[in-house]
């Protein structure tokens, strides 16, 4: 509990930022997409923060510690945690973010309603909400894990504290609150990672001395085993987050909130650069962390979970004041990603379900009030999932796989194939979902581990889902193009 005061001060600052952001909320556009006015630095920071969270700060160092860049035996490695997200940002910035900015949407689900029709829009909303409830739960699970390991909190207590703070500042300030806290959290986190890496490398005697004990197999980038399976797994690792994250609600919400199409594109490139640099730095800390454990610098009993390697390094080697700032930044980064998830979920639920059914002509004040209430409901759902299924890795992989198998193909073809229609897109979503969920369940069993395909054959379903989705969408569109004429994209559609 010696670090509690510093972390509490950090949380208070975050809530005060939420109170300040509340003053900027005049209408639903301000609350949901920050008035479509974010500058390049602000939009870049909030886009970077959307990818930081538990995956980059906690998950990536753990993978580096256990497996390295790529491990043929595990069919997994850092490629999925760093390479995929960087690829996603580059592709999204080049091909999609300027286009969706011009459409003036409020949520990514709006695209499916506007481009295809009601049935596709409803299905897309269901799949997006399912995926992001899981991804939001991942952030809560990581918050609870860090809080329990470092602060000594019980897992349930840590979960409730994290959700409460996230919920409070998201309800108060919407995307403005998320963006303003993001620029603070990203700045502190980047500085902390640079400082810790500098300190650890110097402590170990310099770069060569620190990296010399790292096994060569942990620095392997490409598969080395013979056969197709290792290469299929390697490709799937790139696709899971590299393609699966492109139609994600939080990513596209940053496109909607940018002040121009050019800002949306450039912010994606800047976020990709920051993510790559920070991802490499935390990976190095994970790689050299094993030597710190083996030589006794870090007691073996203090590291019960490899994903806690950076917090344990900081707690063991750094002064208490720096520890408070760094741990506060880790928890804040996780909360920031969680807030992005909650706001994206709430935006979709209100804009694409509640507004269409119950509030078709509601004034802005009603829209903001109902959206804030929806944030609270989403918080409760995320909390239930996190408490019932506290498996961050499994939930995060499945969240990405779900959007890759069901929505990636309709999203891409919606932009680049004028012949795609509502029936085809609906078939594509259903075909991908059935393949990904039922296929994995039949082969591995209908348990959490079975359906999420966390076994060694996970990549089969990651690759098969979008292939079936593509086949179903193309066939459905071609066979029904006369009775269901394709709609075309319209700028300023919402």
């Amino acid at each position: 509990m010696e670090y509690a005061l510093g972390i509490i001060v950090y949380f208070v600052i975050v809530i005060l930022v939420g109170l300040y952001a509340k003053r900027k909320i005049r209408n639903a556009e301000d609350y949901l997409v920050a008035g479509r006015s974010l500058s390049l630095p602000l939009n870049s920071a909030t886009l970077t923060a959307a990818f930081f969270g538990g995956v980059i700060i906690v998950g990536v160092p753990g993978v580096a510690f256990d497996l390295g860049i790529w491990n043929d035996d595990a069919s997994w490695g850092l490629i999925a945690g760093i390479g995929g997200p960087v690829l996603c940002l580059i592709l999204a910035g080049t091909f999609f973010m300027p286009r969706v900015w011009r459409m003036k949407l409020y949520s990514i689900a709006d695209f499916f309603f506007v481009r295809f029709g009601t049935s596709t829009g409803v299905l897309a909303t269901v799949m997006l909400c399912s995926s992001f409830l899981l991804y939001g739960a991942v952030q809560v699970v990581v918050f609870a894990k860090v809080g329990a390991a470092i602060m000594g909190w019980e897992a349930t207590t840590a979960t409730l504290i994290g959700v409460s703070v996230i919920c409070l500042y998201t309800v108060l300030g919407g995307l403005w609150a998320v963006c303003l806290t993001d620029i603070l959290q990203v700045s502190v986190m980047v500085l902390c990672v640079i400082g810790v890496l500098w300190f650890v490398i110097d402590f170990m005697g310099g770069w060569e001395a620190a990296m010399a004990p790292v096994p060569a197999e942990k620095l392997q980038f490409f598969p080395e085993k013979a056969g197709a399976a290792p290469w299929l797994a390697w490709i799937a690792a790139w696709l899971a987050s590299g393609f699966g994250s492109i139609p994600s609600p939080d990513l596209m919400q940053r496109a909607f909130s940018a002040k121009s199409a050019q800002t949306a594109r450039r912010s994606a490139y800047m976020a990709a650069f920051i993510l790559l640099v920070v991802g490499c730095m935390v990976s190095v800390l994970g790689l050299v962390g094993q030597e710190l454990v083996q030589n006794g610098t870090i007691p073996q009993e203090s590291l019960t979970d490899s994903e806690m390697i950076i917090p344990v390094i900081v707690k063991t080697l750094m002064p208490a004041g720096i520890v408070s700032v760094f741990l506060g930044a880790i928890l804040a980064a996780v909360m920031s990603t969680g807030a992005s998830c909650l706001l994206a979920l709430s935006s979709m639920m209100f804009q694409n379900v509640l507004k269409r059914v119950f509030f078709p002509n509601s004034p802005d004040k009603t829209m903001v009030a109902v959206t804030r209430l929806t944030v609270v409901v989403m918080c409760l759902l995320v909390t239930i999932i996190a408490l019932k299924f506290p498996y961050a890795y499994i939930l995060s992989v499945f969240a990405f796989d779900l959007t890759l198998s069901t929505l990636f193909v309709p999203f891409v073809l919606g932009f680049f194939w004028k012949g795609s229609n509502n029936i085809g897109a609906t078939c594509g979503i259903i075909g991908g979902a059935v393949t990904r969920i039922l296929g994995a369940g039949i082969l591995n069993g209908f348990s959490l581990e079975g359906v999420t395909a966390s076994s060694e054959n996970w990549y089969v379903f990651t690759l098969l889902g979008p292939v079936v989705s593509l086949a179903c969408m193309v066939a459905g569109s071609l066979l029904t193009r006369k009775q269901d004429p394709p709609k075309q994209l319209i700028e300023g559609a919402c």
Side-chain angles (χ1 to χ4, degrees):
M1 296 300 290
E2 59 191 295
Y3 315 116
L5 180 59
I7 293 175
I8 290 171
V9 169
Y10 205 106
F11 289 174
V12 170
I13 292 173
V14 167
I15 293 172
L16 290 175
V17 170
L19 290 170
Y20 169 77
K22 185 179 180 182
R23 299 165 57 188
K24 292 179 170 286
I25 307 301
R26 299 182 303 273
N27 51 45
E29 188 168 76
D30 287 336
Y31 189 78
L32 296 175
V33 291
R36 307 188 194 278
S37 62
L38 295 186
S39 62
L40 178 61
L42 199 55
N43 207 53
S44 300
T46 190
L47 190 51
T48 303
F51 281 85
F52 261 25
V55 177
I56 293 296
I57 302 302
V58 176
V60 165
V63 173
F65 185 94
D66 292 331
L67 304 175
I69 298 175
W70 182 255
N71 185 291
D72 284 332
D73 293 329
S75 300
W76 195 249
L78 292 172
I79 285 172
I82 301 175
V86 170
L87 174 64
C88 166
L89 286 166
I90 293 172
L91 293 176
T94 302
F95 299 107
F96 300 103
M97 293 181 73
R99 290 171 177 263
V100 299
W101 182 88
R102 297 187 185 99
M103 295 182 71
K104 305 298 181 186
L105 307 175
Y106 285 100
S107 77
I108 185 61
D110 286 340
F111 169 82
F112 294 95
F113 279 97
V114 171
R115 174 61 179 84
F116 297 112
T118 301
S119 63
T120 298
V122 170
L123 279 174
T125 301
V126 171
M127 300 312 301
L128 286 165
C129 287
S130 301
S131 172
F132 255 58
L133 281 171
L134 296 176
Y135 193 55
V138 169
Q139 311 311 316
V140 176
V141 169
V142 172
F143 185 99
K145 185 182 291 188
V146 174
I150 305 301
M151 301 296 296
W153 296 334
E154 291 185 356
T156 302
T157 302
T159 299
L160 295 177
I161 290 174
V163 169
S164 298
V165 177
I166 293 170
C167 185
L168 183 56
Y169 81 80
T170 306
V171 166
L172 288 173
L175 190 59
W176 268 118
V178 173
C179 293
L180 293 176
T181 54
D182 281 350
I183 198 165
L184 169 66
Q185 291 159 5
V186 168
S187 301
V188 173
M189 179 56 67
V190 171
L191 291 174
C192 284
V193 170
I194 293 172
V196 172
L197 180 62
W198 186 288
F199 179 89
V200 169
I201 295 299
D202 183 67
F203 177 85
M204 298 182 72
W207 177 262
E208 291 186 3
M211 294 299 294
V214 177
E217 57 267 23
K218 283 197 172 185
L219 302 178
Q220 161 192 338
F221 187 83
F222 295 103
E224 294 185 354
K225 278 190 173 182
W231 283 99
L232 290 175
W234 189 81
I235 293 170
W238 283 97
L239 296 183
S241 53
F243 285 11
S245 296
I246 288 177
S248 66
D250 58 345
L251 173 61
M252 290 303 155
Q253 196 168 34
R254 272 56 180 181
F256 308 146
S257 63
K259 69 177 182 180
S260 68
Q262 189 178 49
T263 299
R265 175 187 287 113
R266 289 178 176 176
S267 63
Y269 296 156
M270 187 172 291
F273 174 76
I274 297 171
L275 199 64
L276 178 61
V277 172
V278 175
C280 289
M281 288 192 291
V282 297
S283 298
V284 170
L285 286 170
L287 289 169
V288 303
Q290 193 167 66
E291 174 62 18
L292 291 174
V293 174
Q294 290 176 350
N295 66 22
T297 302
I298 295 176
Q300 183 72 48
E301 61 273 13
S302 67
L303 186 68
T304 57
D305 186 339
S306 61
E307 290 188 338
M308 292 295 99
I309 182 62
I310 289 184
V312 171
I313 287 175
V314 172
K315 184 179 179 182
T316 304
L317 302 180
M318 309 293 283
I322 296 177
V323 175
S324 295
V325 173
F326 189 80
L327 295 181
I330 290 179
L331 295 177
V334 173
M335 290 193 305
S336 178
T337 306
S340 297
C341 294
L342 288 172
L343 193 60
L345 277 167
S346 303
S347 174
M348 288 187 295
M349 284 300 298
F350 178 79
Q351 183 72 10
N352 305 114
V353 179
L354 298 177
K355 182 179 178 181
R356 291 175 184 272
V357 178
F358 301 107
F359 306 96
N361 299 306
S362 58
D364 276 334
K365 286 187 177 180
T366 302
M367 292 173 65
V368 172
V370 174
T371 305
R372 282 177 166 146
L373 180 61
T374 307
V375 170
V376 177
V377 175
M378 294 298 108
C379 279
L380 293 174
L381 293 176
V382 164
T383 303
I384 292 170
I385 295 172
L387 290 174
K388 191 171 181 60
F389 303 109
Y391 313 111
Y393 170 78
I394 294 175
L395 293 177
S396 61
V397 171
F398 187 51
F400 286 129
D401 268 2
L402 206 55
T403 52
L404 175 64
S405 295
T406 59
L407 299 177
F408 174 73
V409 169
F411 185 68
V412 173
L413 294 189
F415 280 109
F416 297 106
W417 183 31
K418 293 182 179 180
S420 58
N421 62 11
N422 185 45
I423 294 177
T426 299
C427 292
I429 294 173
I430 294 174
V434 169
T435 302
R436 179 62 187 82
I437 299 172
L438 293 184
I442 292 171
L443 186 61
N444 296 330
F446 286 95
S447 62
L448 176 66
E449 292 79 5
V451 172
T452 56
S454 56
S455 60
E456 61 183 15
N457 63 4
W458 68 272
Y459 57 88
V460 173
F461 306 98
T462 299
L463 295 173
L464 194 57
V467 171
V468 173
S469 177
L470 176 62
C472 290
M473 183 167 180
V474 171
S477 295
L478 292 176
L479 293 173
T480 63
R481 55 188 173 182
K482 290 184 178 180
Q483 58 266 45
D484 181 21
K487 294 182 179 181
Q488 300 307 314
L489 292 176
I490 303 172
E491 291 189 7
C494 287

